């Protein structure tokens, strides 16, 4: 493991760019924090392009395991430098990795014979989206569609809350969901929307048929 010698090194510049949604989209990567999530990314075949460990982490059992599993050489840096390049994260992570985003086309989300798809429309809370993604992954959902006004799936809080589901799910940033609904209808996929104001029960639906389930986030009062 080679130490970082200054803030102008390419890996440090990349991490700074990945702090914003626009930077993550331009670079095609996102940040994963902590031993457990980075190890899941490696185990599940995610494309890890860089690994940074604090000096203390680098000599620990967990740090050595990460460095051994990572396909690219790990770099070390001080806690102070980690705090300068990773902003707004508490507690300060002792290990971060740059992971390439998996881009899924709309057609790919509906590729299976009987797709089960979740569409998130207007989901603005990162923690809620993370929880929804990990629940979707646990339920065997084939893919997730995100509307234009839904929070980005690769921000720190969503990635952490998803417990690694972002590495396995086919996620498509759909923008206008009407295009996705038209495709679903053309392929014989039943579209189900949820509401707190209905007499129908979710148990009334035949889930053995292809399903596109729409999660609608209603505005809340302060």
């Amino acid at each position: 493991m080679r130490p970082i010698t200054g803030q102008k090194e390419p890996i440090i510049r990349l991490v700074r760019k990945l702090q914003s949604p626009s930077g993550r989209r331009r670079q095609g990567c996102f940040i994963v924090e902590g031993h457990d999530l980075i190890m899941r990314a490696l185990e599940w075949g995610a494309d890890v392009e860089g690994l940074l460990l604090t000096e203390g982490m680098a000599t620990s059992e967990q740090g050595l395991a990460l460095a051994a599993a990572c396909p690219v050489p790990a770099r070390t840096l001080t806690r102070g430098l980690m705090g300068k390049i990773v902003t707004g994260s508490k507690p300060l992570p002792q290990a971060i990795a740059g992971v390439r985003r998996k881009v899924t086309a709309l057609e790919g989300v509906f590729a299976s014979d009987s797709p089960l798809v979740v569409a998130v429309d207007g989901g603005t809370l990162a923690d809620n989206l993370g929880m929804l993604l990990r629940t979707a992954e646990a339920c065997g959902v084939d893919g997730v569609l995100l509307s234009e006004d839904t929070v980005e799936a690769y921000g720190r809080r969503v990635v952490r809350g998803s417990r690694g589901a972002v590495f396995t799910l086919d996620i498509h940033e759909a923008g206008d969901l009407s295009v996705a609904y038209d495709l679903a209808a053309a392929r014989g996929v039943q579209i189900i929307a949820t509401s707190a104001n209905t007499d129908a029960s979710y148990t009334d639906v035949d889930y053995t048929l292809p399903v596109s389930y729409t999660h609608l986030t209603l505005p809340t009062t302060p």
Side-chain angles (χ1 to χ4, degrees), residues 29-30 32 37-43 45-52 66 69-73 96-101 167:
C29 292
F30 61 101
V32 178
L37 277 182
I38 296 173
M39 192 59 77
R40 288 178 192 174
L42 292 167
E43 291 172 350
D47 187 2
V48 177
E49 298 195 346
L51 175 64
L52 293 178
L66 284 175
C70 190
V72 295
I96 61 172
V99 176
R100 184 143 301 271
R101 288 172 38 143
F167 308 135

Side-chain angles (χ1 to χ4, degrees), residues 118-193:
V118 171
V120 185
D121 188 4
T124 58
L125 297 179
D127 293 334
N128 286 356
L129 180 59
M131 179 178 63
L132 188 150
L133 291 177
R134 74 172 183 261
T135 302
E137 196 271 341
C139 294
V141 166
D142 294 297
V144 176
L145 305 172
L146 304 180
S147 68
E148 186 175 13
D149 56 353
T150 290
V151 67
E152 182 214 6
Y154 299 99
R156 176 184 298 118
R157 290 171 64 180
V158 178
V159 172
R160 186 168 53 205
S162 79
R163 301 293 192 270
V166 292
F167 308 135
T168 59
L169 284 171
D170 286 327
I171 300 173
H172 177 75
E173 294 175 333
D176 183 0
L177 287 178
S178 65
V179 176
Y181 295 152
D182 289 344
L183 177 61
R187 297 194 176 184
V189 177
Q190 57 179 335
I191 300 173
I192 304 166

Side-chain angles (χ1 to χ4, degrees), residues 110 112-117 142 184-185 187-192 205-213:
F110 293 98
S112 69
D113 293 335
S114 183
L116 176 59
V117 177
D142 294 297
R187 297 194 176 184
V189 177
Q190 57 179 335
I191 300 173
I192 304 166
V205 179
D206 183 0
Y207 293 98
T208 62
L209 301 175
V211 173
S212 179
Y213 162 82

